[in-house]
Amino acid sequence: MKNIFIINGPNLNLLGKREPEIYGGETLDEINQKIVHLAIELGVQCRFMQSNSEGELICYIHKAINEADAIIINPAGYTHTSIALLDALKAAPIPKVEVHLSNIHSREDFRKVSITAAGCTGSISGLGADGYLLALRYIADKIRGK
Ligand code: DQA
């Protein structure tokens, strides 16, 4: 079965409590449950990882090179700062979708630039938790039969 790594960066463990007017009221566990239900429907398997540490996120992307068929990643604050995460994503020759809950293009200027998106196949921003589900549908379709 195809294996998709769902990677979430810093502070996303606080979803539900963290600025709910921006990021919504769902917890990360609740979002991940929705992803699991859709994955079953699509016949793919998801592995979930969240870390507040840049190094751990990079190591998990390295792991994905050998173990995953695709990546869905919300690099959170590292989106706007991390060349190291960009390099790790570029090193992973599999489909990768960057997801943001909020519309980073309608927020502060420093959030409008994503350094990491250049290492991904594409990105979704501003659709809340639905962004992860749309990314999963795209990826399941893309890797089917490969
Ligand atoms: C975010 C947007 C980032 O700017 C922010 O640092 C986050 C979450 C989002 O999902 O909207 O932590 O990636």
Side-chain angles (χ1 to χ4, degrees):
M1 193 181 275
K2 299 292 181 189
N3 206 3
I4 301 160
F5 279 16
I6 315 287
I7 304 175
N8 280 290
N11 303 306
L12 294 172
N13 54 313
L14 299 179
L15 285 178
K17 288 185 232 140
R18 174 191 179 207
E19 298 180 277
E21 65 289 356
I22 296 175
Y23 299 115
E26 283 176 297
T27 65
L28 188 57
D29 278 351
E30 286 165 348
I31 293 172
N32 288 346
Q33 273 313 308
K34 286 186 175 173
I35 296 173
V36 168
H37 283 129
L38 181 61
I40 291 168
E41 186 188 315
L42 297 173
V44 295
Q45 189 173 295
C46 291
R47 262 161 65 184
F48 297 91
M49 185 268 190
Q50 187 277 328
S51 176
N52 297 317
S53 147
E54 189 175 18
E56 280 181 14
L57 292 164
I58 290 166
C59 288
Y60 207 74
I61 293 168
H62 293 176
K63 198 174 154 72
I65 294 173
N66 294 320
E67 297 180 22
D69 297 290
I71 295 173
I72 295 173
I73 183 164
N74 183 345
Y78 290 132
T79 304
H80 319 294
T81 63
S82 181
I83 291 167
L85 261 182
L86 167 65
D87 289 345
L89 286 165
K90 281 189 166 171
I94 51 178
K96 292 149 283 182
V97 179
E98 178 168 305
V99 172
H100 297 285
L101 295 154
S102 65
N103 180 355
I104 58 172
H105 305 289
S106 68
R107 298 184 63 195
E108 303 96 320
D109 283 348
F110 64 85
R111 288 187 208 276
K112 289 181 180 154
V113 176
S114 169
I115 289 175
T116 47
C120 292
T121 316
S123 59
I124 298 173
S125 172
L127 305 183
D130 286 347
Y132 291 93
L133 303 176
L134 290 166
L136 184 59
R137 283 189 189 278
Y138 167 80
I139 275 182
D141 195 50
K142 202 81 192 157
I143 63 182
R144 190 166 292 138
K146 279 209 176 147

